[in-house]
Amino acid sequence: MAGYDPRTFPAVAVTVDLVVLTVRDGGLCVLVVRRGEEPYAGREALPGGFVRPDEDLLAAAQRELAEETGLTPGAAHLEQLASYGAPDRDPRMRVVTVAHLALVADPPDPRAGSDAAAARWAPVAEVSPGLAFDHDRVLGDGVARARAKLEYTALAASFCRSSFTVAELRRVYEAVWGRPLDPRNFHRKVTSAAGFLEPTGETTTRDGGRPAQLYRRGPAAALHPPLLRAEN
Amino acid sequence: MAGYDPRTFPAVAVTVDLVVLTVRDGGLCVLVVRRGEEPYAGREALPGGFVRPDEDLLAAAQRELAEETGLTPGAAHLEQLASYGAPDRDPRMRVVTVAHLALVADPPDPRAGSDAAAARWAPVAEVSPGLAFDHDRVLGDGVARARAKLEYTALAASFCRSSFTVAELRRVYEAVWGRPLDPRNFHRKVTSAAGFLEPTGETTTRDGGRPAQLYRRGPAAALHPPLLRAEN
DNA sequence: CCAAAAGTGTTCAAAGTACACCCATGA
DNA sequence: TCATGGGTGTACTTTGAACACTTTTGG
């Protein structure tokens, strides 16, 4: 950083790309757009776009997320994932992308963004490998991050609507981790984790059987103790 | 990403900044350079520099690390930390920096990089807050990452020389976490974590008292089970 | 011998897993 | 009434914290 000359910096384009995940029909799904132009015309890619001159990185990601899904900022969890800048990752020019991870609940059908030809929610295994650019790797990193963070944060609730049952939350964990969990132990763990869930007082029978208590997200960001930890 | 025009991208400079940590005299220290020019002339900052036109992000970080410390690539742990791109973070122009975290053992005295006026190892609390640009935040994020990763990875060994004792490894944990650990339970935990440590067969009395077994890093990257987990 | 640090054994408490069992609803 | 999922109780196992104790060196 010391001693650089602003007049001779190497020209680079900076974009944000989005790994937008949701849980649908018991599986982990990602938002992808079909590319209409070269390079990779016809292939699917993660949504993304340029960072504008007066925009912070997170703000750019929020704007792109809103453009692609119609979600208002704050309605979904959004965090920076990692940056990717291999010199040849885009054949046209040097592009460094700052990837972000978004977790959304109950997603609306994707609306065609200003420049996205066609967007859809696709099961992760269905589109990757096969994405444009280095997006297979970006998606892989995003899924790995989501899996890891479910263990020790309250993030799983970001995949649920504002009011949800313990069983719905459990199905999120099962979808992201790809393995069944014991409903009874899971129930005890999440309801006894301080600040994770707050009962609304209402019940629902939308899952069938005995009415289930409804909860909303609690104030806790981290989970003490973490979930999982083997549960063979 | 879809539909951008390479001829009209917003001009941005991309740099890498380094959070280089080491343990000295029982405390966590960071490599800082004194700035010779505006802005922030005379203030200390994290080392860093431009990403060159044909260089990947990690390669740029490796090059900077070598320039500042003389360490050859691979001699230290180096990973991407996060990117920072607030529009006004550098008053001269739009600069997006991809920060990296490096953990080094037994560091040589910093050598003046090609453009670094003066570099030194400083205790983290001594220089932050007070760093130039947004480097207080970058350093804080780096330290937080290091603290967290010691729990569930074998990274602590990156702070040790190629051959080290359990007590030396414990002092690394104590310095980074800032709290004492029970030597006896610590010994049992790290020696029973599969793949963390490999005995060299040699012993040393450099710590005084009964001779201690010497170890080198094992092949494991992750620790099962993780360390810490309360230990009040 | 004494001090100092390495390393082991043992006890107790806490947490996790497996699973039997009861509850409350819709059909 | 039965099927279905919600929710609780409990026995067993595993893990971790605390700390007494033995070992092996230097001075």
Side-chain angles (χ1 to χ4, degrees), chain B residues 19 81-82 84 101 135-146:
Chain B
V19 178
L81 179 58
Y84 303 82
L101 175 65
H135 289 182
D136 285 326
R137 187 175 157 215
V138 178
L139 175 56
D141 291 349
V143 170
R145 170 83 65 95

Side-chain angles (χ1 to χ4, degrees), chain A:
Chain A
M1 179 68 72
Y4 71 79
D5 181 345
R7 294 180 302 275
T8 63
F9 73 93
V12 180
V14 176
T15 61
V16 289
D17 284 340
L18 293 178
V19 178
V20 190
L21 300 178
T22 194
V23 173
R24 283 198 153 185
D25 305 323
L28 190 61
C29 294
V30 59
L31 182 65
V32 290
V33 299
R34 178 82 57 182
R35 287 183 56 78
E37 327 174 350
E38 292 299 334
Y40 299 103
R43 294 269 286 279
E44 287 184 309
L46 300 175
F50 280 115
V51 176
R52 294 184 179 163
D54 289 309
E55 195 177 45
D56 198 355
L57 301 174
L58 185 62
Q62 276 172 335
R63 176 178 52 76
E64 288 290 336
L65 182 61
E67 285 176 11
E68 301 287 346
T69 67
L71 258 47
T72 59
H77 174 84
L78 181 61
E79 67 177 45
Q80 193 185 109
L81 179 58
S83 297
Y84 303 82
D88 58 349
R89 62 179 293 279
D90 187 317
R92 291 165 294 185
M93 61 179 304
R94 185 73 194 265
V95 179
V96 170
T97 192
V98 183
H100 290 251
L101 176 65
L103 309 183
V104 308
D106 194 27
D109 274 334
R111 71 182 196 201
S114 43
D115 49 15
R120 69 176 181 121
W121 293 102
V124 167
E126 183 180 314
V127 294
S128 186
L131 294 177
F133 303 104
D134 50 4
H135 289 182
D136 285 325
R137 188 175 155 213
V138 178
L139 174 57
D141 290 349
V143 170
R145 170 83 63 93
R147 286 202 173 117
K149 287 197 102 170
L150 285 211
E151 275 197 57
Y152 58 94
T153 71
L155 225 65
S158 298
F159 283 117
C160 296
R161 288 171 288 178
S162 60
S163 178
F164 55 89
T165 67
V166 172
E168 287 163 355
L169 184 65
R170 176 168 49 82
R171 281 190 277 275
V172 166
Y173 276 89
E174 292 177 332
V176 176
W177 285 345
R179 68 142 119 178
L181 299 174
D182 185 302
R184 299 159 295 190
N185 292 334
F186 181 85
H187 184 279
R188 196 184 349 240
K189 279 191 192 180
V190 296
T191 54
S192 64
F196 192 3
L197 303 180
E198 283 181 346
T200 65
E202 320 240 314
T203 61
T204 180
T205 58
R206 63 191 180 213
D207 293 324
R210 170 175 165 178
Q213 188 66 233
L214 281 168
Y215 296 88
R216 59 175 150 260
R217 295 200 56 163
L223 250 41
H224 298 292
L227 297 190
L228 192 59
R229 188 157 188 75
E231 181 143 3
N232 296 312

Side-chain angles (χ1 to χ4, degrees), chain B residues 36-223:
Chain B
E37 328 174 351
E38 293 296 337
Y40 300 103
R43 295 269 286 280
E44 287 183 310
L46 298 175
F50 280 114
V51 176
R52 294 184 178 164
D54 289 311
E55 197 177 44
D56 199 354
L57 301 174
L58 185 61
Q62 276 172 334
R63 176 177 52 76
E64 289 290 338
L65 182 60
E67 286 176 11
E68 302 287 347
T69 67
L71 257 48
T72 59
H77 174 84
L78 182 60
E79 66 177 44
Q80 192 184 110
L81 179 58
S83 297
Y84 303 82
D88 58 350
R89 62 179 294 278
D90 187 317
R92 292 165 293 185
M93 62 180 302
R94 185 73 194 267
V95 179
V96 170
T97 192
V98 184
H100 289 252
L101 175 65
L103 309 183
V104 308
D106 194 28
D109 274 335
R111 70 182 198 201
S114 44
D115 50 15
R120 69 176 181 121
W121 293 101
V124 167
E126 182 180 313
V127 293
S128 187
L131 295 177
F133 302 105
D134 51 3
H135 289 182
D136 285 326
R137 187 175 157 215
V138 178
L139 175 56
D141 291 349
V143 170
R145 170 83 65 95
R147 285 202 174 117
K149 286 198 102 169
L150 285 211
E151 276 198 57
Y152 59 93
T153 71
L155 225 65
S158 298
F159 283 118
C160 297
R161 288 171 288 179
S162 59
S163 179
F164 54 91
T165 68
V166 171
E168 288 164 354
L169 184 66
R170 176 168 47 81
R171 281 190 277 275
V172 165
Y173 276 89
E174 291 176 333
V176 176
W177 285 344
R179 68 142 121 178
L181 299 175
D182 184 302
R184 301 159 294 192
N185 290 335
F186 182 84
H187 185 281
R188 197 183 350 237
K189 278 191 192 179
V190 297
T191 53
S192 65
F196 191 4
L197 302 180
E198 283 181 347
T200 65
E202 320 239 314
T203 61
T204 181
T205 58
R206 63 190 181 216
D207 293 323
R210 170 176 166 180
Q213 188 65 231
L214 280 168
Y215 295 89
R216 60 176 149 260
R217 294 200 56 164
L223 250 39

